[in-house]
Structure formats: structure tokens, C-alpha cells
Amino acid sequence: MGMDFSTLRTLISRYCAGEENWVDSRTIYIGHKEPPPGTEAFIQQRFPDNRIVSSKYTFWNFIPKNLFEQFRRVANFYFLIIFLVQLIIDTPTSPITSGLPLFFVITVTAIKQGYEDWLRHKADNAVNRCPVHVVQHGKIVRKQSRKLRVGDVVLVKEDESFPCDLVLLSTSRDDGTCYVTTASLDGESSHKTYYAVQDTKAYNTEKEVDAIHATIECEQPQPDLYKFVGRINVYMGNESVARPLGSENLLLRGATLKNTSYIYAVAIYSGMETKMALNYQSKSQKRSAVEKSMNAYLLVYLCILISKAIINTALKYVWQADPNRDEPWYNHRTETERQRHVLIRAFTDFLAFMVLFNYIIPVSMYVTVEMQKFLGSYFIMWDDEMMDEELGERAVVNTSDLNEELGQVEYVFTDKTGTLTENNMEFIECCVDGHVYVPQVICNGQVLPDAVGMDMIDTSPGPDAREREELFFRALCLCHTVQVKEEETVDGIKHGIHQGKSTSFYISSSPDEVALVEGMKRLGFTYLRLKDGQMEILNREDEIEKFELLEVLTFDSVRRRMSVIVKANTGELYLFCKGADSSIFPRVVSGKVDQIRARVEQNAVEGLRTLCVAYRHLSPEQYEEVCHLLSDAKLALQDRDRRLAEAYDLIEKDLILLGATAVEDRLQEKAADTIESLHKAGMKVWVLTGDKMETAAATCYASKLFRRSTQILELTTKRTEEQSLHDVLFDLSRTVLRQHGDMTRDTFSSFSGDCTDYGLIIDGATLSAVMRPNQDDLNSGNYKEIFLEICRNCSAVLCCRMAPLQKAQIVKLIKASKEHPITLAVGDGANDVSMILEAHVGIGIMGKEGRQAVRNSDYAVPKFKHLKKMLLVHGHYYYIRISELVQYFFYKNVCFIFPQFLYQFFCGFSQQPLYDTAYLTLYNISFTSLPILLYSLIEQHINMDILKKDPTLYRDISKNSLLRWPIFIYWTILGVYDAIVMFFGAYFLFDNTTFTSNGQLMTTNTQMMFGNWTFGTLVFTVLVFTVTFKLALDTHYWTWINHFVIWGSLIFFVVFSLLWGGIIWPFLNYQRMYYVFMQMLSSGPAWLSIILLITASLLPDVLKKVIWRSLWPTTTERIQSADKLYEGQLSEFTPLASLHGPPKARTSDPQRNGSNPRRSEPFNKKVMITRWKQKPDYCTFTPLVRFTDGARHSKQGYTYSGAGSETSV
């Protein structure tokens, strides 16, 4: 019976799309042809089409889905309830006062989110409608990408991207290989080799391909880019041949065909089942820390509101316990009201009080926040400093909801290739027998300026030295897997080899190899081609030398070296080997090891990538032995990799050292300066890359993520093979905690020299083991916690060989840790999309790897260096502005509504409003909204240049410091105090009353008309002026716009009040405010009392600020005071470090203060080392008080050159 159910389930899963996870494998019929009779049952499975969907809404679900998301916000849901209550029961205020602002907020947000999603739909359509070429009935048919089906045979031409995941059937090359770049997948722009199926590689025309009769069995879609298991059954007559399929046969969607005219391949995974799509994270709504704080504050105010309503309802029924008060002569109840149950009456009164006091929760705050975010985002887009003239691109804001989150970042996760680096390898120098060669520095016997201080070899060395020099150059021209492409351009860039051969350029799976071969060309030895097994070289005398390529011992990350065996025209056999110094030196038996080792170490200190070159003569007998070893290992079906490694180990020995090379993977401009600034700002920077460990580590040193003093901890496959993962983790944990005890690295300054600096390197395979440990391991439960503890104590972390989904897992792991830090991810390729979507803030770099990262990011910048200004300046300003906006809104609404609460004690809890309806409606919309909106757009509490020069100021606002509970409580208490002063100050003015001759009731003290509307208007006038002046006192950056808006809004209030009460409006049924405001202003004592009440309200806050700034100033306040002292020119001649608090004890460490030069800087390294040693340290300048004579000190040239021109002080 169980078998029947199993068969039934398999059939259902095959026929029902979307149920693929029920079976472990899928069967694909190439060209949708049935297999020959008797071979296997033909069950055509259903697969999804090839559409890619990155959008969030559809036309049909936009309104319900968007409304659901918006009403998940506490405030929106609350105002909806209040609006419904106003519609249902008789309340003191009109439903319009709640409904109109709510409708405005919902509409504006829906339009903004709908527009953003429409752009995503547009981008999806552009991809889905791309033309693809499909083989049908022996002809090429053109169709849209979205109509491609699993089983279709596709023709892809050179420089085209693969439309879905394909198994390679045949190529234009005779050997059945093709070359592919996977830059948009794993960040590697090098060329990778893929292989066609052995039995189909000879089919090169449409008709031949259409005649292929085969089925493919493979695993169901899974996100691992580097793993694929399957087999192909090729039918020839009634016989079938089965061949294994692996990742070397699988071409992934998004990769690009290179150096191959065309290929034929069959679609096996389509649409959202492709490996790239499975690596996408779903696009969820991101919420900022400020928004979470706002929701928490709203809940507090909601509790206050409910408490007020309950207290007033209870007191109303206590008051009405006396029958005379319950039903006075002027307010008899109707019969219906008398018969209503007391609980229903109490509940109705409770709701009425809720409506009366509901203004304490400001709906207009959400309108203002939405406008502030939307308009504020334009400052990033308009910033000329964040424009790249080479690309002609400006920064882009895709989501303005997260502006303030840019000021709260604690962890930065960055891709390497194309993000930190330009992915441009440059040959710097080579060292042969201790002599250094720099390309193109000797020209016509003249030493060029960039050769200053270099140890140059004599241009006419002795015969032996000359022979070894040429052997070294030949070794580098031969020991590689570089291909030569005969074509004018690639990716729009012209490449040349030498005169007369300007239409050729080099391509390789390793950019280093291209750089080395091009370096040799500049030193006189040009690699021409590999033809018929012969490698051709053009030497200095323009003679072509030929070497027969016999064997290639390929590079792998365990050996960290590669070798070739070649035969010269003279019949001599050579083994040339190049690799990392750690893998070459132990195998060397002769050569100038000490001199070369010294040069290698010096280059490594400068962040250059070094390789050593060695060789060995082989006799014919030794070569025969080598061939035998290699052929045995290659034919092994089991443990092939291990047997090959053993063979390589036996062959690559007894080497003679020739020399070493230095190559630079050129960093993006100011990448190192940016990382240094982020570190100083208190952020931890992690590099997540799909690249090899050695390459990534070299970049980390060059970009100052790792320093020479950094102790590197490795958590890699190589180490876990020697020890169990459990032991490795506990060893690392003991290492990092030995010195710190239980203190994490967060308790230290990022640049303190009194503790060891640790850097962690982890690879993708080990990360998988940490994330999903073996179930049999009893100690595996806390691997994640130990891993996180190690990471927290490391100043920098490098994760290499990461699959895209693993990048997202790392980000998710850090997000979910107990500190819940704010994370930022930055990348430039499709392989970074998952990470960008997972992080709190995602930033796309407009690189060379397509626009998928930019499309899916929250923000996009042209270069990595722009991250510095985006975070340290824009992020800082956005957070300062919105935190003031939020606190100020709650403050002014407490001031607004608390007098209404107090007033109920004087009106018999009758729900009588203190303010006129016009004042209630316009207080938040008109009278007090524009000043705070403008403040939140243009306030600059500190000069922009100072923020860039002193990244440590970023720490002052970290961890949501300006929206913490103590500050929130202070603003609330201040609001309550101001409300009490306003209400009771006005109340005492109305203490004594007399009748005038014409029967009016007037106050004795101020001669104002006595009445509740006059009283309310007096309170409201003091209120509007107080909250506006409070904002004016908080403003540091004054422009004519501030003056216009702040004083203009006060003038508008006065003019409106005069018009509202001075004219009989025909559309009003009754006019309660007629002549009230003018009569109030006609009283001289009223003017004096208004001034006194405003002063009394503002005085405590002013005194508190003066005392706090004098006794306990923050770093920000010190710099503000100093900037005023220097009239806004502080950044030009003041050392900012002197304005910080008392210095912490630290040791002087020149390595940590940027004294390591980089070749990518425009100046000469030797000169810079000397100059930096003579200059004072940035953080140990004389204190500010001693800089009285700015001109005198500036002549001494106090400059800090370590981080580029932006950090000059």
C-alpha cells in the first residue's frame, strides 16, 4: 500500500507545477523528444516558465497588500480606529480632523511605494522580453526569454548572457570547451573553462543538434552555485550511453560567454528556479531603528491617552453623583439618554474623551516624516561630490525610508571584486637573484622619476646573470594558462600586445597571470600564442622562440602553486613552477633565497601580491617517470584529486629559485581611506567574497582592513581537515579571549594599541559546517555562539569562497545576535543581491557587473569611496534631523493637549474643548509644521568638513543614542511643565472678574473679555509662540529660509486669528471666535503676560543646556563651541582630535596610524615613508588652546597625509 501512495505522490508531483520538492530529481527530454520505446516511461513534467520576478506587488494585489502593510504601523491603525469612532458616535470634534491627515499619509505612501515597484516591474520586463535563439525542427527560432521552456535547445553567441541554467552540448571550439565570465554571479571577472558533453560536442549545426536524442536526469534546483549532480543518457539507435554531469558542464544564468563564437546548450532550470534566482532573497519591507523607536513612543503615549480618558470618565461620574450636577437646568437629557444603561453611557464617554485627547498622538508626524524622508533623499542625489564624472553617474536613492539608518550603521559587509578593487591587476616589479626590475623605467639610458630609490640592475650584466634573467622571463611567459584573443575590443576596451599585433589581447581565469604576462611584454618578452601544442614567445631580439607544452600541473588552493613541463627547440626539458612563497621556498634546493625572501617580505608589507618562480631541468628518464605518475592519477575513478595531489607533490621538488614578482590588484580610489574612516567611526568592516582566499587576503592588507600587526586567525577547510571543527573553534576562542578576558573588542577603541589586533579568515565550506553542524556532534549546538564571540573580538573579518546565499546568511547571523546591530551591505554584482536585501541598508555600486545590485539596493553610489560621505555626513545629518523631529513632535503635542486635560477639571468633565475647532485642526497642519519640516531638511549641527575629517563624531550618535528613553522622558516632562505654566498662568490672569457698564464680564487684572474661548485663545497663543521659539533655540544652522519659515509661521498664526475672528463668515452656522482674538490683544497686560509665560516656559530648558554644556560637554558640543570661536573655519586650522574628551591611554603604533604606503597612491613610496616618519601623529597634536597663532603654526606644515587629501588638517 505504501508503494502505491509513493507512486501516486510521484505522479502528482510530476504533473503539478510547484510540487517539485516532493521528488529528488527531474528528468529533462532534450528538444522535448520522447525516449526510444522500451528504455523508460515518458512522463513529461511541468516546469515554471523563464520569467524573473523581483517586484513586490501585482496590479490586482497592490491595494489590499499595500493597505495591509501600512496599517501594520501602530499609528496608522490607531488613527483609523479614532476616525471610525468619530463617525459612529457623537464626539466633541469633527471626523475630518482625523480622517483627512490619515488619508493623506496613506495615499502619499502608497503612491511612493507603487512608483518604486513599477520601476522594478519595468526592469523585470526588460529582462523577460530579451530575445533568445532556440533550435526548433532544425532551424533557429527567435523568441522572448520568458517563453523559454525546460528542454529547449538554445544557441548563445559570444558576449551574450545565458538566459537560464543550461547544460553545455557543443561549442564552436574543436575541443568542446567554452570560456565564461561569472562576474555577476560570484564577483570573479576572470575567464572560466566549461566542457561540453563528450558524446555531443561534435554536433555543430542546427540540424545536427536537433538530431540529438537524449535525456538528462539531474537534481532538483538548489542555490549552491558550485554544485551540480546529474547524468545524460544519449541514445544511439537502441543503445544508450550514460555520462556523468557536473558543475563543469553547467552554465548559469547571468554568466557571459567569452572567447567562444557560439554554443548549443539545453535549458534545465528556468525562471525563479535558476540558481541565481534561488540566491535572491525575497524583498521585504525594511524598517529603520528610528521608526521602531517612534512605534515604542506611540505605545507609551497611547497608554497615557487611555489613562487620561479613564481618569476623566471616572471623575465625570464622581462629579455627576450629585443630581444637581448630573442634570443642570441648561442641559436636560432626552428620554433616550435617561434609559441608556450606565455602562454604555460610560463607554461612550470614554470614547469621546479618547477623541478629545487623541491629538497627543500626532498623525501629522507621519506626514512630516514621509515628506522629510522623500525630500531629504534629494540631497544625496544632488551631491556633486558623490558624482563620478568618468561614469557620468550620480548617487541614486531607491528607498528613502532608511535615510536615518545611514547614521546608525555598526557593521559594514562589503564585496571585494569591483567594490573595493577596480579588478585591474598591474605588474609592479620582479626580482631576479636579488636585482629589482621595474617595467618601463629605463628609457634611452635615462632613469624615469618613479624609479627613485629602486635597486636597478646594470643594463649590461654578465653572461651568467643575463642567462638567468632571460630564463626567469621565459618561465613567466610559459608558466600560465593565458589565452590570446585576436580581436580589437572586449567590453569596449582596446587591448594590444606589441607593435604590429595591436588586435590581440590576453585573457585568463586568473587576472594575476594576465598581469604577469603583460609585465613580461613590457620587459621585452612577449607571449604570442599556443598553437598545435607549441607555445610561441617573441624575445628581445624580435626572434620567435617555440616551446612544446607537454604537461600543465594546474593551480589549486591547497598546493598554492602551478607548474608546466615544456620542451625547448634544443631538446631540453624544463619544469617551471610559480606559486606562493610559503609553497615554493620549502621545495627549493638552490638559488639566492635570502635576497629574494627579503624582497618578497618588503613587497608583502606594502600590500602587493607576490609570487615566487623556480625551475628544474628534467632528464628524459625523469620525464617518463612524471608521465607515468600523472597518467595513473588522471585515470583513477576514485580519489582522483588525492592521487593527483600526491603525484604533483613528487614532481614539484628539488627546484632552483629564479626570482619573485609583485602584482597589485589596484584598489578603487580612496578605498583604504574609506575603510580607515569607517573603522574610526566605530564600524566593523567585513569582506564577503566569492574569490580565493589568497587574493582576498592580499586585498584586505592593501585596503588596510588587515594591518601588518594584525594576527590572522584562520577558520578554513585546510585547517578543519587537520583538526576537528570543534577543536579549531575552541582554539580560536581561547586565543581571542586570552588577552581580553570576557571583554569584547567593542570596549576598546578601534585603534588602541594596547591589545592584540585580530583578523579572522573563514571560507564558505567551513561556514556551512558552522551554520549547519553535524547532527552526530554532541557539542555542535553552540558553534554559532562561539563563532560570533570570535568575530566580535576581531577588528576585521574576511569571508572567502562565499556563495551568494551564504553572504546573506552571514548578514542574518549578525543581525540576529544579541546586540541586534544595524548592518549595511555593499556590492556591485548580482551575487551581492541577497546580501543587499538581507542587510538593514543595502548599497549597490555602479560597477562593470550589470545593474542588478543597483536595482535591488536601497541606495546606489558610483564608487566605494562615496560611502564615506554617505554615512559620515549624510547619515549623520539625517539621524540628527529626524531624531529632533520625532522628539519635538511629541513635545509640542504634549504642550498642546495637556492643558485640554487640565481644563476638564474646570468644566465639569463635560468634554468641552479648550481650543476652537480651527485651532485644533490647523495646529499640527499649519501653525507648527513648516518650521520643524525645514529644520529636518537643512539643519547642520556641525560643519560638513568637520564630520568628514573626524569620523569619531559618528560614535556620538551610534546605537540610536538621541532617541533613548531618558531623552524621550526629558522631552515629555518638558512638555508637561510648559503646559502647566501656560494653563495656570492664564488661569491666574482670569482669577478676578467684574461686569462692565454694557454688561460684559471682564477680568479685573487684564481687562480681557471673560470666557472660555478667550481663555483657550490666550493659552493657544502662548503655546504656538513657545514651541516655535523652542525650535529656534535648537537650530544651529541659520539661513534666510529658516528665518522666513519660523517668523513667517508666527505671522501667519496672528493674521489667521485676526481674519478668523474679525470677519463674519457666511458658511459658518455659528461663530464662537468672533472678535475674541482682537479683544484679547487690545489689553496691554495680556501682552505682558504672554511674554512672561513664554519666558517662564523656555527658561528651564535654556538653563539646563547652559549648565550641561559648561560641566559635561559632549564631543559634538565642544566642536560646536570651537567652530563658533573660529567663526566657522575650525576645520581649516584646528586639530580635531584635541577637541575630544580626555585621551585614553594608548601606545604609539606607527603601523596603526597609516604609515604603510600603498603603490596605488600617486606619490613615490620611498619619499612618503620618510616624510610620514618626520610628521607628528594625527591624534597627538597640541591641544586647541595652544593654537592661538594659526598662521604661525600653519607655516610649519602640520599635515596628516595618511588618508588622502580629505583628511588634511
Side-chain angles (χ1 to χ4, degrees):
M1 192 68 186
M3 279 296 289
D4 294 341
F5 277 121
S6 172
T7 308
L8 181 64
R9 187 176 70 187
T10 304
L11 287 170
I12 290 171
S13 70
R14 286 193 172 190
Y15 279 109
C16 299
E19 297 292 327
E20 299 294 351
N21 54 330
W22 286 105
V23 288
D24 296 327
S25 63
R26 56 170 58 186
T27 303
I28 294 137
Y29 303 95
I30 295 179
H32 311 288
K33 293 175 186 167
E34 294 185 27
T39 50
E40 61 175 281
F42 177 64
I43 302 174
Q44 184 72 54
Q45 298 179 37
R46 292 178 61 190
F47 303 110
D49 60 21
N50 200 38
R51 276 181 302 177
I52 287 290
V53 180
S54 65
S55 54
K56 191 174 172 184
Y57 304 108
T58 65
F59 179 79
W60 305 106
N61 72 9
F62 174 71
I63 291 175
K65 194 171 179 180
N66 189 265
L67 287 177
F68 171 74
E69 284 190 349
Q70 291 209 55
F71 283 117
R72 279 167 59 196
R73 283 182 172 177
V74 177
N76 289 350
F77 185 71
Y78 163 76
F79 287 117
L80 178 66
I81 298 297
I82 290 293
F83 175 64
L84 294 175
V85 166
Q86 286 178 298
L87 286 175
I88 294 165
I89 68 165
D90 183 25
T91 56
T93 55
S94 165
I96 294 171
T97 56
S98 294
L100 199 62
L102 177 66
F103 176 75
F104 180 72
V105 172
I106 297 294
T107 306
V108 168
T109 308
I111 289 170
K112 183 167 77 79
Q113 292 180 352
Y115 174 70
E116 288 171 355
D117 204 63
W118 176 74
L119 291 178
R120 286 192 285 270
H121 270 284
K122 201 173 168 185
D124 288 344
N125 287 337
V127 172
N128 293 331
R129 289 175 182 169
C130 259
V132 294
H133 299 93
V134 179
V135 178
Q136 284 183 357
H137 310 299
K139 295 180 181 177
I140 297 294
V141 178
R142 185 167 160 156
K143 60 164 73 171
Q144 289 183 348
S145 173
R146 63 195 170 99
K147 294 180 180 177
L148 200 62
R149 291 190 300 153
V150 170
D152 284 347
V153 177
V154 181
L155 168 68
V156 180
K157 295 178 182 175
E158 186 171 6
D159 292 329
E160 289 182 355
S161 291
F162 303 124
C164 60
D165 290 353
L166 308 162
V167 165
L168 183 58
L169 296 176
S170 67
T171 80
S172 60
R173 303 173 74 94
D174 296 336
D175 57 0
T177 60
C178 73
Y179 300 99
V180 169
T181 56
T182 55
S184 66
L185 301 173
D186 57 14
E188 292 190 38
S189 58
S190 55
H191 290 59
K192 297 187 175 70
T193 307
Y194 288 82
Y195 301 90
V197 176
Q198 195 67 25
D199 298 278
T200 62
K201 70 178 185 181
Y203 299 92
N204 285 324
T205 65
E206 295 88 54
K207 289 186 178 178
E208 288 174 353
V209 169
D210 194 48
I212 293 173
H213 205 178
T215 59
I216 291 175
E217 291 176 76
C218 62
E219 61 190 0
Q220 291 294 359
Q222 54 131 326
D224 191 338
L225 293 178
Y226 307 108
K227 187 183 171 196
F228 175 68
V229 177
R231 71 178 176 201
I232 182 168
N233 296 304
V234 183
Y235 302 108
M236 296 172 180
N238 289 327
E239 293 183 10
S240 70
V241 179
R243 299 282 183 192
L245 296 175
S247 56
E248 70 277 5
N249 308 113
L250 183 69
L251 305 171
L252 300 179
R253 179 182 187 128
T256 306
L257 184 66
K258 292 286 182 185
N259 208 25
T260 309
S261 301
Y262 63 85
I263 59 137
Y264 290 101
V266 59
I268 58 163
Y269 302 131
S270 58
M272 299 308 287
E273 285 189 343
T274 57
K275 286 184 181 283
M276 197 67 251
L278 291 174
N279 274 280
Y280 285 157
Q281 295 284 94
S282 57
K283 200 167 180 71
S284 58
Q285 187 80 15
K286 293 181 180 180
R287 301 193 184 282
S288 69
V290 170
E291 191 172 330
K292 290 170 188 168
S293 296
M294 282 165 55
N295 287 341
Y297 297 162
L298 279 172
L299 289 173
V300 171
Y301 271 59
L302 189 59
C303 293
I304 293 171
L305 171 62
I306 293 168
S307 306
K308 280 184 178 180
I310 290 171
I311 291 167
N312 274 266
T313 306
L315 290 174
K316 176 175 182 175
Y317 283 90
V318 171
W319 168 264
Q320 291 180 350
D322 183 345
N324 293 327
R325 292 176 180 165
D326 186 26
E327 211 169 339
W329 59 269
Y330 56 82
N331 192 16
H332 282 289
R333 289 190 194 155
T334 62
E335 196 61 36
T336 312
E337 287 173 332
R338 286 198 185 95
Q339 290 175 356
R340 192 180 294 164
H341 194 277
V342 66
L343 288 176
I344 294 174
R345 275 190 289 141
F347 182 67
T348 308
D349 284 331
F350 169 75
L351 291 178
F353 277 120
M354 285 281 286
V355 170
L356 184 65
F357 299 141
N358 94 84
Y359 297 95
I360 196 171
I361 295 183
V363 67
S364 58
M365 178 175 72
Y366 277 87
V367 184
T368 311
V369 166
E370 286 289 338
M371 291 176 71
Q372 189 265 352
K373 288 182 175 183
F374 179 70
L375 297 174
S377 63
Y378 281 95
F379 290 118
I380 288 179
M381 293 190 274
W382 291 337
D383 192 335
D384 288 337
E385 287 183 28
M386 293 173 68
M387 179 184 178
D388 188 83
E389 292 184 3
E390 185 186 338
L391 292 172
E393 299 271 12
R394 288 183 177 273
V396 174
V397 178
N398 295 326
T399 308
S400 59
D401 293 342
L402 302 168
N403 291 346
E404 65 278 5
E405 206 83 327
L406 294 169
Q408 293 297 295
V409 175
E410 294 169 66
Y411 280 81
V412 175
F413 299 94
T414 173
D415 178 40
K416 181 189 76 73
T417 312
T419 303
L420 285 180
T421 68
E422 294 178 350
N423 203 26
N424 240 351
M425 299 291 178
E426 185 183 355
F427 180 80
I428 299 297
E429 67 171 51
C430 60
C431 170
V432 184
D433 284 350
H435 298 290
V436 176
Y437 294 74
V438 179
Q440 295 178 346
V441 294
I442 298 179
C443 180
N444 299 324
Q446 297 294 314
V447 180
L448 299 186
D450 63 345
V452 173
M454 287 293 184
D455 177 18
M456 298 304 302
I457 192 167
D458 186 2
T459 51
S460 54
D464 289 346
R466 176 95 178 180
E467 186 183 334
R468 290 178 68 76
E469 168 198 321
E470 293 191 352
L471 187 61
F472 174 85
F473 294 157
R474 287 188 182 95
L476 283 175
C477 283
L478 297 169
C479 187
H480 56 72
T481 55
V482 169
Q483 305 151 46
V484 179
K485 180 157 175 61
E486 303 285 337
E487 200 170 292
E488 188 177 348
T489 60
V490 62
D491 297 334
I493 302 166
K494 289 193 177 184
H495 296 259
I497 290 190
H498 63 92
Q499 292 178 341
K501 295 272 184 182
S502 61
T503 58
S504 300
F505 64 92
Y506 300 125
I507 56 174
S508 170
S509 59
S510 166
D512 299 68
E513 291 195 326
V514 174
L516 291 173
V517 175
E518 287 181 343
M520 291 306 100
K521 179 197 73 173
R522 288 156 63 193
L523 287 167
F525 279 76
T526 304
Y527 172 62
L528 297 179
R529 66 184 67 82
L530 170 63
K531 187 176 181 182
D532 301 327
Q534 298 279 329
M535 299 181 86
E536 296 180 8
I537 297 173
L538 188 75
N539 64 22
R540 282 175 176 163
E541 285 74 37
D542 281 342
E543 298 168 350
I544 293 179
E545 300 178 8
K546 292 188 177 182
F547 292 82
E548 185 182 350
L549 179 62
L550 301 173
E551 296 286 350
V552 177
L553 281 59
T554 53
F555 177 89
D556 66 66
S557 57
V558 178
R559 279 166 55 240
R560 300 178 69 190
R561 60 185 181 273
M562 76 156 290
S563 301
V564 294
I565 299 174
V566 295
K567 186 176 184 180
N569 286 338
T570 57
E572 290 180 297
L573 292 161
Y574 291 97
L575 179 136
F576 290 119
C577 182
K578 72 166 189 252
D581 56 335
S582 58
S583 67
I584 297 289
F585 285 141
R587 301 181 166 271
V588 167
V589 291
S590 68
K592 296 189 178 179
V593 178
D594 293 337
Q595 294 97 315
I596 293 170
R597 191 195 299 273
R599 191 68 194 174
V600 165
E601 287 174 0
Q602 185 179 337
N603 284 330
V605 165
E606 294 175 16
L608 299 177
R609 305 173 58 150
T610 56
L611 284 175
C612 293
V613 181
Y615 80 104
R616 173 188 171 194
H617 278 290
L618 293 177
S619 65
E621 294 78 22
Q622 287 173 322
Y623 174 64
E624 286 297 324
E625 188 184 341
V626 165
C627 284
H628 183 66
L629 275 171
L630 289 175
S631 60
D632 281 356
K634 285 178 180 176
L635 289 172
L637 291 175
Q638 297 197 345
D639 292 334
R640 184 183 296 174
D641 290 344
R642 181 180 59 79
R643 293 185 64 174
L644 272 174
E646 289 171 357
Y648 291 164
D649 197 50
L650 290 169
I651 297 164
E652 295 167 329
K653 63 181 184 182
D654 302 333
L655 303 175
I656 301 166
L657 187 62
L658 281 172
T661 63
V663 172
E664 182 179 29
D665 182 4
R666 205 172 262 287
L667 286 177
Q668 282 198 16
E669 184 190 2
K670 295 185 181 174
D673 170 45
T674 303
I675 285 182
E676 199 167 9
S677 297
L678 298 183
H679 270 148
K680 286 180 181 176
M683 293 175 234
K684 292 195 171 183
V685 183
W686 289 32
V687 173
L688 312 182
T689 177
D691 219 336
K692 294 188 281 288
M693 187 177 104
E694 298 80 12
T695 312
T699 304
C700 289
Y701 278 109
S703 63
K704 295 189 181 176
L705 185 76
F706 294 156
R707 300 177 168 265
R708 305 321 305 180
S709 59
T710 303
Q711 184 177 335
I712 301 299
L713 309 173
E714 285 192 19
L715 186 55
T716 56
T717 311
K718 186 179 175 184
R719 187 162 176 190
T720 51
E721 283 171 357
E722 298 164 2
Q723 275 180 286
S724 69
L725 177 63
H726 176 271
D727 293 343
V728 174
L729 278 171
F730 277 91
D731 282 354
L732 294 179
S733 181
R734 279 195 296 272
T735 303
V736 295
L737 293 176
R738 189 182 301 131
Q739 184 172 351
H740 298 169
D742 290 327
M743 296 172 71
T744 63
R745 186 160 191 89
D746 295 331
T747 59
F748 294 94
S749 164
S750 287
F751 279 78
S752 64
D754 51 8
C755 63
T756 309
D757 210 7
Y758 291 109
L760 178 69
I761 299 178
I762 182 170
D763 60 20
T766 316
L767 178 71
S768 296
V770 170
M771 302 291 278
R772 291 190 300 276
N774 190 343
Q775 298 299 318
D776 301 333
D777 191 344
L778 298 174
N779 299 310
S780 64
N782 59 348
Y783 280 178
K784 282 187 193 176
E785 286 75 13
I786 298 168
F787 173 66
L788 279 172
E789 190 62 36
I790 294 166
C791 292
R792 271 196 290 268
N793 286 283
C794 292
S795 59
V797 179
L798 164 63
C799 305
C800 46
R801 281 293 174 206
M802 291 279 131
L805 212 53
Q806 284 183 310
K807 292 185 178 185
Q809 285 174 343
I810 283 270
V811 176
K812 193 172 185 178
L813 184 69
I814 296 299
K815 274 173 68 179
S817 63
K818 60 186 177 185
E819 297 92 358
H820 297 292
I822 304 298
T823 58
L824 177 143
V826 53
D828 68 321
N831 59 314
D832 304 313
V833 168
S834 302
M835 169 175 80
I836 284 169
L837 293 176
E838 181 61 52
H840 292 96
V841 183
I843 295 185
I845 301 284
M846 298 168 185
K848 302 171 185 174
E849 299 177 13
R851 284 288 186 268
Q852 281 171 300
V854 170
R855 268 211 334 264
N856 287 278
S857 63
D858 304 307
Y859 303 88
V861 291
K863 291 277 166 58
F864 183 77
K865 66 177 180 179
H866 297 132
L867 200 60
K868 179 179 176 179
K869 188 171 186 187
M870 181 173 262
L871 298 182
L872 302 186
V873 178
H874 290 292
H876 198 122
Y877 282 156
Y878 283 136
Y879 178 72
I880 290 284
R881 293 163 182 169
I882 204 162
S883 57
E884 175 86 9
L885 185 152
V886 171
Q887 301 280 26
Y888 178 78
F889 252 100
F890 283 113
Y891 157 77
K892 74 186 181 77
N893 280 48
V894 170
C895 293
F896 179 45
I897 221 65
F898 201 74
Q900 178 75 68
F901 172 72
L902 296 172
Y903 186 59
Q904 295 307 303
F905 288 85
F906 296 88
C907 69
F909 307 99
S910 61
Q911 295 146 17
Q912 168 66 34
L914 174 62
Y915 312 116
D916 180 59
T917 305
Y919 287 162
L920 278 171
T921 306
L922 296 178
Y923 175 72
N924 276 321
I925 292 175
S926 297
F927 300 146
T928 59
S929 61
L930 271 181
I932 184 60
L933 175 61
L934 191 79
Y935 175 97
S936 66
L937 287 173
I938 67 171
E939 170 65 1
Q940 294 181 22
H941 64 303
I942 292 180
N943 186 288
M944 193 180 292
D945 293 331
I946 295 174
L947 286 179
K948 278 196 289 190
K949 288 184 170 74
D950 192 356
T952 54
L953 289 171
Y954 192 87
R955 295 173 185 232
D956 284 2
I957 59 164
S958 63
K959 299 187 185 295
N960 207 12
S961 61
L962 299 183
L963 286 174
R964 287 181 181 161
W965 288 105
I967 299 174
F968 168 72
I969 291 165
Y970 169 76
W971 279 84
T972 303
I973 291 170
L974 187 65
V976 170
Y977 165 79
D978 288 355
I980 291 170
V981 168
M982 293 169 203
F983 182 84
F984 286 106
Y987 176 75
F988 290 129
L989 291 174
F990 280 74
D991 199 20
N992 298 312
T993 57
T994 55
F995 280 96
T996 60
S997 56
N998 58 4
Q1000 286 184 322
L1001 193 61
M1002 302 290 285
T1003 58
T1004 308
N1005 300 331
T1006 58
Q1007 291 300 302
M1008 282 192 294
M1009 196 187 303
F1010 185 86
N1012 66 314
W1013 299 119
T1014 308
F1015 177 71
T1017 302
L1018 178 62
V1019 173
F1020 191 79
T1021 303
V1022 175
L1023 165 70
V1024 171
F1025 275 81
T1026 300
V1027 298
T1028 306
F1029 286 155
K1030 161 70 177 153
L1031 186 65
L1033 288 170
D1034 283 354
T1035 302
H1036 293 96
Y1037 185 69
W1038 283 92
T1039 63
W1040 67 267
I1041 308 175
N1042 294 74
H1043 287 289
F1044 177 77
V1045 169
I1046 286 178
W1047 314 126
S1049 61
L1050 292 176
I1051 292 167
F1052 172 73
F1053 162 69
V1054 173
V1055 171
F1056 173 85
S1057 298
L1058 290 170
L1059 293 173
W1060 183 243
I1063 299 172
I1064 296 175
W1065 299 99
F1067 55 84
L1068 294 176
N1069 295 328
Y1070 52 87
Q1071 201 153 342
R1072 298 177 291 203
M1073 293 296 292
Y1074 183 65
Y1075 217 65
V1076 168
F1077 191 72
M1078 279 164 286
Q1079 205 282 332
M1080 181 189 81
L1081 293 185
S1082 65
S1083 163
W1087 282 82
L1088 182 62
S1089 61
I1090 288 170
I1091 293 167
L1092 286 173
L1093 290 175
I1094 292 170
T1095 306
S1097 298
L1098 294 173
L1099 193 60
D1101 186 49
V1102 173
L1103 286 174
K1104 178 252 176 191
K1105 280 185 176 172
V1106 170
I1107 293 167
W1108 249 251
R1109 275 177 176 262
S1110 302
L1111 300 178
W1112 307 286
T1114 64
T1115 305
T1116 301
E1117 287 167 350
R1118 281 194 192 96
I1119 285 180
Q1120 284 171 345
S1121 304
D1123 204 26
K1124 285 177 185 173
L1125 181 68
Y1126 286 97
E1127 298 178 350
Q1129 303 300 315
L1130 174 69
S1131 61
E1132 291 185 13
F1133 51 80
T1134 308
L1136 304 177
S1138 63
L1139 297 173
H1140 291 256
K1144 296 176 184 176
R1146 63 173 68 188
T1147 59
S1148 175
D1149 185 354
Q1151 298 283 0
R1152 292 180 157 277
N1153 288 306
S1155 63
N1156 282 334
R1158 298 191 309 280
R1159 295 264 188 171
S1160 54
E1161 298 295 340
F1163 34 70
N1164 183 280
K1165 58 171 188 169
K1166 302 282 184 186
V1167 178
M1168 286 307 299
I1169 290 173
T1170 310
R1171 189 154 71 93
W1172 289 5
K1173 285 178 180 175
Q1174 291 174 347
K1175 293 298 171 187
D1177 187 279
Y1178 173 64
C1179 297
T1180 55
F1181 272 114
T1182 314
L1184 175 67
V1185 290
R1186 292 178 59 188
F1187 276 76
T1188 51
D1189 182 5
R1192 177 169 56 85
H1193 285 279
S1194 64
K1195 285 176 187 175
Q1196 295 174 9
Y1198 282 160
T1199 58
Y1200 168 68
S1201 308
S1205 59
E1206 285 192 351
T1207 51
S1208 300
V1209 294

